[in-house]
Amino acid sequence: DKKDVDSIFNNYSEPKHLTAEQNHAINVIKQMRSLQNGSCVLLDGVTGSGKTEVYLQVISKVLSEGKNAIVLVPEISLTPQTVARFKSRFGDEIAVMHSKMTQAQRRQQWFWIKDGNARVVIGARSALFSPLKNVGIVVIDEEHETSYKQESAPRYHARTVAKKLMEEAGGVLVLGSATPSIEAIYCSKHNADWRRVELSARATGQSMPKVEIVNMTT
């Protein structure tokens, strides 16, 4: 809802300082993007490590170079807070695509994008097929989520489509998750055009909770 977004619009400001891990992740993404071959960076970061801020920083750089961006999030994450966080940085150049929109709303957003008014498209997996031109980066947040896989025909996985899209456009694909998929981990270990970057600490400096594994069979 637009009122909900506007009500929290000013709550998200750019932090004065980034952590060393965040800066490292940004530099790795920039390096892989400079290859212009559709490289992929797996951002393996614990909850609260500041993955979203890394997305925002890199997207800002891409936009400054005249390129555009697509950000995929699981349907459940398409909350007003998510949209507001991006809108606070990029203003009205944001377009949103998701299943809860009416046909009229989808049509309006589609032509808004097609006419070149949007620089960043946020949405579920179908946002990959929006008419956004000159895409320099695709971000898939919570990349392990099963909602990125289309179960009905035509069947596809958003990760595969996004990788191909960036290979053709000479951009970079960024995958983010606190619990990366096995496929992403495997590719980051065995494919030359993949890199894995870990964010092991919370951006706020808070300590991680203690975890104890209990064997319930004994």
Side-chain angles (χ1 to χ4, degrees):
D1 185 87
K2 186 177 185 302
K3 290 183 179 180
D4 292 333
V5 172
D6 291 340
S7 67
I8 54 178
F9 182 83
N10 295 319
N11 292 341
Y12 300 103
S13 58
E14 185 173 352
K16 295 181 180 179
H17 304 286
L18 298 178
T19 66
E21 289 184 329
Q22 285 176 309
N23 281 317
H24 174 63
I26 292 170
N27 289 332
V28 169
I29 295 171
K30 288 180 179 179
Q31 291 170 7
M32 298 301 281
R33 180 170 173 258
S34 68
L35 300 176
Q36 298 182 348
N37 63 351
S39 298
C40 181
V41 178
L42 173 60
L43 198 57
D44 182 357
V46 299
T47 302
S49 59
K51 293 188 294 296
T52 301
E53 186 58 39
V54 172
Y55 305 154
L56 291 168
Q57 294 279 341
V58 176
I59 290 173
S60 180
K61 176 64 175 177
V62 170
L63 297 185
S64 70
E65 296 176 1
K67 300 282 187 176
N68 298 324
I70 295 175
V71 180
L72 302 188
V73 295
E75 194 77 43
I76 194 172
S77 296
L78 277 169
T79 61
Q81 289 87 350
T82 302
V83 177
R85 186 112 185 234
F86 282 85
K87 189 175 181 181
S88 67
R89 299 292 179 87
F90 309 121
D92 293 331
E93 295 181 318
I94 296 290
V96 180
M97 304 284 285
H98 58 85
S99 63
K100 293 184 179 180
M101 298 170 66
T102 65
Q103 288 293 336
Q105 290 173 327
R106 290 188 187 186
R107 179 182 175 85
Q108 187 274 334
Q109 288 290 283
W110 179 272
F111 282 103
W112 172 263
I113 298 169
K114 185 175 177 61
D115 292 341
N117 298 304
R119 301 290 309 281
V120 181
V121 176
I122 304 174
R125 61 177 182 266
S126 60
L128 282 172
F129 304 106
S130 63
L132 186 67
K133 299 178 181 179
N134 203 21
V135 180
I137 183 172
V138 175
V139 174
I140 303 182
D141 192 31
E142 305 294 345
E143 66 85 23
H144 62 276
E145 286 283 345
T146 58
S147 61
Y148 288 124
K149 183 181 293 185
Q150 172 76 15
E151 299 292 349
S152 57
R155 293 179 174 85
Y156 68 91
H157 197 295
R159 180 178 56 239
T160 305
V161 175
K163 185 71 167 62
K164 184 64 176 179
L165 179 64
M166 288 298 90
E167 287 174 357
E168 294 183 351
V172 64
L173 171 61
V174 178
L175 307 177
S177 175
T179 55
S181 63
I182 294 175
E183 296 90 341
I185 293 175
Y186 179 89
C187 288
S188 66
K189 288 184 177 181
H190 298 280
N191 294 357
D193 60 344
W194 282 63
R195 287 285 299 278
R196 181 181 180 185
V197 180
E198 295 187 41
L199 301 179
S200 59
R202 289 176 171 171
T204 58
Q206 293 178 318
S207 60
M208 296 296 293
K210 294 182 179 180
V211 177
E212 181 179 355
I213 300 176
V214 179
N215 187 346
M216 302 295 291
T217 63
T218 59

